[in-house]
Amino acid sequence: MVLRPPAPGVVKAQELNDDADWNAFDSEAYVAHNYRDLRPDDEQIIRIVRDYFTDHFRRHPGDPVPGIDVGSGANLYPALTLLPWCSEITLFEYAATNAAWLERQVTGYEPNWDAFWDVLREARPYAGTENPRAALRLAARVKQGNLFSLPEARWGIGTMFFVAESMTTAYEEFQEGVRRFAECLLPGAPFAAAFMEGSEGYAVGDEFFPACSVTGAQVRDTLTPFAEGEVQIHSIGIPGDPLRVGYKGMLVACGRRNSD
């Protein structure tokens, strides 16, 4: 069965994060559709984030820091972007199905993720990690929990990919999700966050999940109060083979946590 977002012009009922059945999230179906092969839009995102983190730590060298990937879901490449910079990596996830999937991948991730790592290892710090599977196994820990209960000022680098806008139709809840992500980071911590632009919701297997339609300007406005200096917003257009129906592209935001 193919589930599609409501037709244009149809008013959707508001669906909050708590309304969705996240434990019905089919991790294997999600990976098969989104990440079985490396798509050109994901490759762009990986390069942007890789280069941003590499440049940050070139300008701010120091010891490895604790890192977090918020709302990891069934996506491993945000954690891989963190690997050279971290003493430990928390894979923070709400859905039980995704947490179990992450546990299996940490033990030894599947071959499809090698193509994602190949893009990262074009940069020297990543190339220095000779065995990324072993490195991830040593560094990563899966933590099941709620985004809205994240502790503050705990991690020195962070990622959040396709989470805050992909869990609710409410703009206020999207804003709160972004705030919780930003506030879990230590002052000066670099971050990268990715968003579906103009998302109308999405199917995973036989389930349909809510989304909040956001623009690059809204992402910038939401992150700016928590960032030191300007937040970099990168727009990723839809390639010739769209991921799905019901979105306008992808957005990547890179910045550095301020000290309030």
Side-chain angles (χ1 to χ4, degrees):
M1 179 172 65
V2 177
L3 301 182
R4 296 178 179 272
V10 175
V11 177
K12 297 183 292 184
Q14 186 177 71
E15 185 175 1
L16 301 180
N17 180 64
D18 283 346
D19 296 327
D21 184 4
W22 294 107
N23 287 328
F25 196 101
D26 187 333
S27 310
E28 298 294 344
Y30 186 80
V31 172
H33 181 76
N34 291 271
Y35 302 123
R36 187 55 58 197
D37 299 300
L38 175 60
R39 292 173 50 84
D41 38 16
D42 285 317
E43 183 174 348
Q44 282 185 265
I45 292 171
I46 291 169
R47 292 184 190 279
I48 290 167
V49 175
R50 177 199 70 189
D51 293 348
Y52 182 76
F53 285 157
T54 299
D55 182 63
H56 171 86
F57 286 102
R58 178 184 58 79
R59 292 182 290 108
H60 305 281
D63 294 332
V65 297
I68 186 170
D69 178 40
V70 173
S72 300
N75 181 4
L76 209 60
Y77 80 74
L80 295 177
T81 70
L82 297 173
L83 201 51
W85 320 112
C86 292
S87 55
E88 60 182 57
I89 301 173
T90 299
L91 305 180
F92 195 86
E93 171 58 31
Y94 183 72
T97 51
N98 287 335
W101 180 89
L102 288 165
E103 292 281 9
R104 295 193 296 273
Q105 299 305 308
V106 167
T107 300
Y109 59 77
E110 295 174 359
N112 60 297
W113 298 104
D114 290 337
F116 296 76
W117 180 257
D118 285 344
V119 179
L120 288 168
R121 69 186 181 94
E122 292 171 2
R124 181 177 297 177
Y126 294 89
T129 304
E130 294 183 2
N131 188 338
R133 281 180 174 80
L136 188 70
R137 186 165 56 248
L138 289 172
R141 297 293 180 270
V142 179
K143 171 68 174 177
Q144 192 173 2
N146 192 316
L147 164 65
F148 300 109
S149 300
L150 275 171
E152 295 184 12
R154 166 68 175 79
W155 289 276
I157 185 174
T159 51
M160 181 178 70
F161 281 32
F162 313 118
V163 177
E165 84 293 3
S166 298
M167 63 180 187
T168 179
T169 62
Y171 185 66
E172 294 77 13
E173 200 165 41
F174 157 76
Q175 290 178 305
E176 178 67 4
V178 172
R179 181 180 74 84
R180 294 285 186 155
F181 166 64
E183 290 184 345
C184 84
L185 301 175
L186 291 162
F191 62 81
F195 305 87
M196 300 300 291
E197 181 179 14
S199 180
E200 299 174 0
Y202 57 103
V204 179
D206 292 337
E207 297 291 328
F208 193 78
F209 293 95
C212 178
S213 177
V214 297
T215 66
Q218 289 171 323
V219 168
R220 186 192 304 277
D221 289 346
T222 304
L223 277 168
T224 292
F226 309 102
E228 180 181 287
E230 183 179 2
V231 178
Q232 301 176 14
I233 303 292
H234 304 265
S235 181
I236 311 295
I238 298 177
D241 177 25
L243 178 65
R244 58 173 171 80
V245 298
Y247 77 111
K248 296 180 179 179
M250 300 181 186
L251 301 163
V252 184
C254 298
R256 189 175 181 216
R257 177 73 167 104
N258 62 16
S259 57
D260 293 325

